[in-house]
Amino acid sequence: MSNNKNQTTPKGAVSRRGVLKGMAAGAVAGGAMIKGAPFVHASEPITLRIAGTGVNQFKELADKAKEDLGFTIQYTSLTSDDVVKRAVTQSSSFDMLDAEYWMLKKIVPSGKMKGMDVSKIKNYDKIVPIFTKGELPDGTKMSRQGIAPIKVSYLAGEESSEFATDPSGYMTLIPTVYNADTLGIRPDLINRPINSWAELLNSEFKGKASILNIPSIGIMDAAMVCEASGLATYGDKGNMTKAEIDTTMKVLTEAKKDGQFRAFWKEFNESVNLMASGEVVIQSMWSPAVTKVRSMGVPCVYQPLKEGYRAWAGGLGLPSHLEGRQLDAAYEFINWYMSGWAGAFLNRQGYYTAVLETAKPFMSEDEWGFWMEGKKAATDIMSPTGQKIESAGSVRDGGSFWDRMGNVTVWNTVMDEDRYMVRKWNEFIAA
Amino acid sequence: MEWLRSRSAYLQAAPLSLIFLLFFVLPIAMVVVVSFFDYQAYQILIPDFVLFNYQDVFSSEVTYRTYFITFRFCLMVWAITLVLGFAIAYFLAFHIRTITMQIVLFLLCTIPFWTSIVIRMIAWIPLLGRNGLVNNALVASGFTDAPVEWLLYSEFAVVIGYVHLYTLFMIVPIFNSMMRIDRSLLEAATDAGASGWQTTWNVIVPLCKPGIAIGSIFVVAMVMGDFVTVNVLGGGQVASVGKAIAAELSYLQFPPAAANSMVLLGVVILLIMLLMRFADIRKEL
């Protein structure tokens, strides 16, 4: 697969010999331990292999986890489609899955994941209610178009491969990060205000637009564009009928044939390159990609649009083969993840973390004000890796948590007509 | 002992046959089987015997269009690499006098292969991009006012990538054929009054046929099956058969991908059979 070239092992990863030693030791110790025995930090190192989309795989997180917990975290970065494929076909190749909620609709029926016992999650009660109740912290119901996390958050039982409609005590994923996505633009090359999704197909940007080539996400961006420009109407954008899919793909195909798009991207870094090099001035984008373009010194705005945001959320899940010491370690890692340091780190990337209140003490007042409350930055804002991304006095694109997550129109999705949609999408890419 | 002697030929052939069976015939057989399976989004392989995977392939207009585009790539790349490959091999074989120099120049040709295929492709992006070196030079020298858009993320870029990657596969077998040509034949041609061009056309080209055929098989097979170059340099916008299969695989649609692969395999085999008619490759080997 072409995507395999994206598989990376960050510098934090241990040597092959180290892994083998660790695994052998883990197997011996795991076999010797009685089920339910208290977890002991044995001298044998534990390695947790996390497979996911790379959006929240940072060496700094792995290093800090190693320091705090003694685990070695090994990341495998895959494209979204490959995460699903890996989870369904080779779930033994990782110990934790860093998946997005829409993927669950494909992965969970395969029975390759196990429910997570919420009683073992320390900060479970503090998780943002988007995931546990389907509402914002103030009680407002969130959009349910697409695969809103609440629809797939819970399993009927630990070993079940069916979703539960009510909180059951077994979560599919413990949310890690989520965000409201919109279009990224190059303000220096556009020179006028952009305020609607419809602009993606504006002939003014002919040959300078891009859309992401991951059907589950791309189709939603396309639907936002079609709806905004009045070219299509939808019952539920997150679950289109065949006719709605046809209309959407027709609009896209015509735009493609007219040369509207410069390229399609599949992987985070591709979108960064397209934008930073000026090949593209308006495109589907993910928040940290915008951050990355800016940290390269290139102006880039994550433009809020009047039709609202397309939201997504990701979390850590457990493959069903995990047990014993590795399983305990996975829970311990998740609890660490939610205890604040990692949350603050991710908030500084421009994501939102699942447990906001533990992250807050790890951020400066100014940082919290900038990232979460939409306030003017009092000092320069730095990325977690130390590059300056905003000068003092600037305000976050889209403003506060409420302005952004409160304006979510639709979630990333897998539709009932998925097979049809994917075929049509394929034809569009081939057209 | 007698038993061993009578069967020694079979025993000698056995290891290779086993490897072939295990790593070639068996996987292909599995692909054939899967191509008749049913599938769903939630259950990727449903054992069954259905024909709709093939029906989808043959009834879709997109299939014919992607094959057309892929054939066109094949033809263009084949023609360019053939001319380039022949010219370079000719230069190496007949104009360079010393063996040392030949080896040095030959190694020079292989230098691009010291880096990975992905890097060799990506290297074109800063060169051909809208703000790339070529466009900067064109604009600066006044040839164009605005950057030329079709240099990158276009069929042009894809063809450049292929030519860059595959010309060597044409050079090597042609060079090999040329080195086997008895030099006295060329002298005879000259003595008989043939011009340089006549010698090339009537003596060298016919004797290089096996090399040309082998090179062509390499190039055609690689262009037909490629999905990486077309993705990177086509910006995800240019279609090819290999890419369509890769896309289906990435959406977990294994049965239609298998069906598509079988069709592609059939087409490539036909093409290679056609090429074999032009030259007796066994003679060369």
Side-chain angles (χ1 to χ4, degrees):
Chain A
M1 293 304 307
S2 65
N3 302 322
N4 286 351
K5 70 171 187 280
N6 299 326
Q7 286 189 13
T8 51
T9 313
K11 277 175 248 153
V14 290
S15 68
R16 174 186 291 265
R17 170 179 284 189
V19 177
L20 289 174
K21 257 161 67 184
M23 288 203 313
V28 172
M33 251 173 22
I34 313 152
K35 218 182 175 185
F39 179 75
V40 202
H41 272 300
S43 51
E44 298 85 2
I46 282 194
T47 299
L48 285 177
R49 297 164 302 164
I50 303 182
T53 49
V55 288
N56 51 353
Q57 299 181 342
F58 296 97
K59 184 178 176 296
E60 290 81 359
L61 278 178
D63 289 349
K64 182 75 175 166
K66 175 99 185 160
E67 189 186 319
D68 290 354
L69 302 169
F71 304 155
T72 301
I73 302 296
Q74 232 180 8
Y75 290 123
T76 303
S77 155
L78 305 164
T79 63
S80 304
D81 292 327
D82 278 347
V83 171
V84 179
K85 191 158 74 176
R86 183 71 76 94
V88 174
T89 58
Q90 303 169 52
S91 67
S92 59
S93 67
F94 53 83
D95 304 311
M96 294 186 92
L97 185 67
D98 173 10
E100 283 177 42
Y101 278 81
W102 60 266
M103 298 173 185
L104 293 177
K105 209 171 158 187
K106 291 187 170 190
I107 300 171
V108 165
S110 73
K112 295 285 165 63
M113 288 181 79
K114 68 162 89 189
M116 255 177 288
D117 186 350
V118 298
S119 64
K120 290 192 189 165
I121 310 292
K122 269 188 227 131
N123 286 314
Y124 174 72
D125 297 333
K126 294 180 189 158
I127 292 177
V128 179
I130 294 170
F131 299 94
T132 50
K133 296 190 190 116
E135 56 193 40
L136 286 164
D138 67 351
T140 337
K141 289 274 174 222
M142 288 208 81
S143 165
R144 279 178 160 253
Q145 288 203 25
I147 303 206
I150 185 63
K151 292 186 187 169
V152 293
S153 265
Y154 294 96
L155 286 184
E158 188 174 6
E159 304 288 335
S160 173
S161 55
E162 271 166 40
F163 297 113
T165 41
D166 297 310
S168 64
Y170 293 102
M171 279 194 112
T172 47
L173 296 178
I174 294 291
T176 48
V177 289
Y178 49 99
N179 210 336
D181 281 0
T182 181
L183 296 175
I185 62 166
R186 280 282 297 269
D188 56 326
L189 299 177
I190 289 184
N191 283 322
R192 70 175 177 84
I194 297 288
N195 65 6
S196 166
W197 281 88
E199 301 279 7
L200 189 70
L201 293 185
N202 190 331
S203 56
E204 185 185 337
F205 308 123
K206 190 168 169 179
K208 294 176 178 174
S210 173
I211 195 165
L212 80 177
N213 179 13
I214 299 170
S216 306
I217 309 175
I219 188 82
M220 297 325 291
D221 280 359
M224 294 295 274
V225 170
C226 289
E227 199 175 49
S229 45
L231 295 168
T233 50
Y234 301 95
D236 175 358
K237 284 191 288 301
N239 201 3
M240 299 181 193
T241 62
K242 280 188 176 177
E244 286 168 347
I245 295 171
D246 284 343
T247 320
T248 313
M249 298 321 292
K250 194 164 157 256
V251 172
L252 278 191
T253 308
E254 273 165 20
K256 183 186 170 185
K257 286 192 171 153
D258 281 350
Q260 180 70 10
F261 301 111
R262 181 66 170 152
F264 300 123
W265 62 268
K266 249 189 154 161
E267 202 237 353
F268 172 85
N269 285 310
E270 292 171 343
S271 70
V272 173
N273 292 340
L274 285 173
M275 205 62 160
S277 64
E279 297 290 340
V280 157
V281 300
I282 183 166
Q283 67 170 348
S284 327
M285 238 175 151
W286 295 340
S287 169
V290 176
T291 311
K292 194 161 174 189
V293 173
R294 273 192 212 169
S295 65
M296 294 160 87
V298 176
C300 182
V301 171
Y302 210 33
Q303 185 61 49
L305 303 168
K306 64 173 188 250
E307 293 88 6
Y309 292 88
R310 171 183 56 73
W312 61 274
L316 289 168
L318 306 177
S320 46
H321 69 82
L322 209 62
E323 54 187 14
R325 250 180 111 212
Q326 292 287 104
L327 182 60
D328 293 334
Y331 275 112
E332 204 178 336
F333 178 70
I334 288 171
N335 279 324
W336 171 82
Y337 213 97
M338 300 169 89
S339 66
W341 190 91
F345 183 91
L346 295 166
N347 273 359
R348 276 188 222 112
Q349 280 287 343
Y351 295 120
Y352 296 121
T353 181
V355 186
L356 297 171
E357 52 191 285
T358 58
K360 195 171 178 181
F362 287 87
M363 296 173 83
S364 74
E365 201 176 313
D366 187 39
E367 283 178 328
W368 184 263
F370 176 80
W371 290 113
M372 300 302 297
E373 293 169 342
K375 287 184 186 159
K376 259 189 191 163
T379 55
D380 286 351
I381 295 292
M382 302 293 191
S383 77
T385 43
Q387 291 106 335
K388 179 182 147 185
I389 37 180
E390 291 292 342
S391 312
S394 53
V395 178
R396 178 173 189 177
D397 299 337
S400 70
F401 181 82
W402 302 108
D403 288 337
R404 292 165 51 93
M405 290 313 288
N407 273 321
V408 166
T409 313
V410 68
W411 292 86
N412 286 354
T413 194
V414 173
M415 306 183 191
D416 293 338
E417 293 290 353
D418 183 55
R419 186 160 137 178
Y420 184 76
M421 191 276 281
V422 168
R423 213 178 81 210
K424 286 285 154 188
W425 186 270
N426 231 346
E427 287 174 8
F428 156 60
I429 295 296
Chain B
M1 214 56 214
E2 188 57 35
W3 179 84
L4 209 61
R5 199 169 303 123
S6 65
R7 283 170 179 76
S8 67
Y10 288 104
L11 285 175
Q12 281 166 344
L16 186 66
S17 314
L18 275 177
I19 286 175
F20 249 96
L21 208 67
L22 207 64
F23 296 107
F24 182 71
V25 178
L26 207 66
I28 297 256
M30 277 164 75
V31 176
V32 173
V33 170
V34 167
S35 70
F36 292 104
F37 277 17
D38 193 4
Y39 69 106
Q40 271 179 8
Y42 313 137
Q43 214 184 338
I44 49 177
L45 291 177
I46 306 170
D48 202 344
F49 185 81
V50 293
L51 290 172
F52 62 69
N53 294 316
Y54 285 97
Q55 278 161 6
D56 280 356
V57 173
F58 287 111
S59 65
S60 167
E61 183 221 347
V62 174
T63 309
Y64 299 103
R65 210 162 48 219
T66 37
Y67 269 94
F68 173 72
I69 296 170
T70 312
F71 280 137
R72 203 172 53 193
F73 276 138
C74 248
L75 202 70
M76 282 195 279
V77 174
W78 175 76
I80 299 171
T81 53
L82 178 62
V83 171
L84 269 181
F86 189 88
I88 295 170
Y90 185 91
F91 177 76
L92 283 176
F94 298 119
H95 282 264
I96 306 299
R97 300 283 166 193
T98 65
I99 287 281
T100 330
M101 206 51 200
Q102 275 179 340
I103 293 173
V104 168
L105 290 177
F106 201 80
L107 282 178
L108 214 61
C109 290
T110 64
I111 284 182
F113 287 77
W114 294 359
T115 58
S116 94
I117 181 170
V118 178
I119 292 174
R120 265 176 287 152
M121 280 177 324
I122 290 176
W124 284 104
I125 293 177
L127 207 62
L128 299 177
R130 182 176 288 144
N131 303 310
L133 284 177
V134 173
N135 265 324
N136 281 349
L138 284 177
V139 174
S141 60
F143 278 114
T144 53
D145 303 331
V148 183
E149 301 277 327
W150 51 260
L151 286 178
L152 186 60
Y153 301 134
S154 59
E155 296 194 3
F156 171 78
V158 176
V159 171
I160 286 228
Y162 283 143
V163 168
H164 175 207
L165 295 175
Y166 301 144
T167 302
L168 187 71
F169 292 96
M170 206 53 122
I171 298 177
V172 175
I174 296 180
F175 177 71
N176 185 37
S177 291
M178 284 178 176
M179 290 307 279
R180 291 169 175 220
I181 295 175
D182 189 345
R183 300 298 147 121
S184 52
L185 290 176
L186 305 183
E187 284 164 24
T190 318
D191 291 347
S195 67
W197 181 246
Q198 278 173 322
T199 315
T200 308
W201 191 248
N202 294 317
V203 181
I204 298 178
V205 170
L207 288 172
C208 284
K209 259 189 184 173
I212 293 174
I214 292 176
S216 305
I217 290 174
F218 277 138
V219 171
V220 167
M222 281 187 293
V223 172
M224 287 300 288
D226 169 80
F227 62 93
V228 183
T229 308
V230 89
N231 225 5
V232 174
L233 291 173
Q237 295 220 73
V238 179
S240 86
V241 181
K243 209 182 106 189
I245 296 172
E248 279 164 346
L249 284 176
S250 71
Y251 308 146
L252 292 175
Q253 302 187 339
F254 292 146
N260 234 325
S261 307
M262 292 324 296
V263 174
L264 178 61
L265 185 67
V267 169
V268 173
I269 288 176
L270 279 178
L271 278 177
I272 289 177
M273 278 166 60
L274 200 74
L275 283 168
M276 300 281 252
R277 289 185 69 97
F278 289 106
D280 183 5
I281 290 179
R282 273 165 207 272
K283 200 173 74 190
E284 181 78 354
L285 299 174

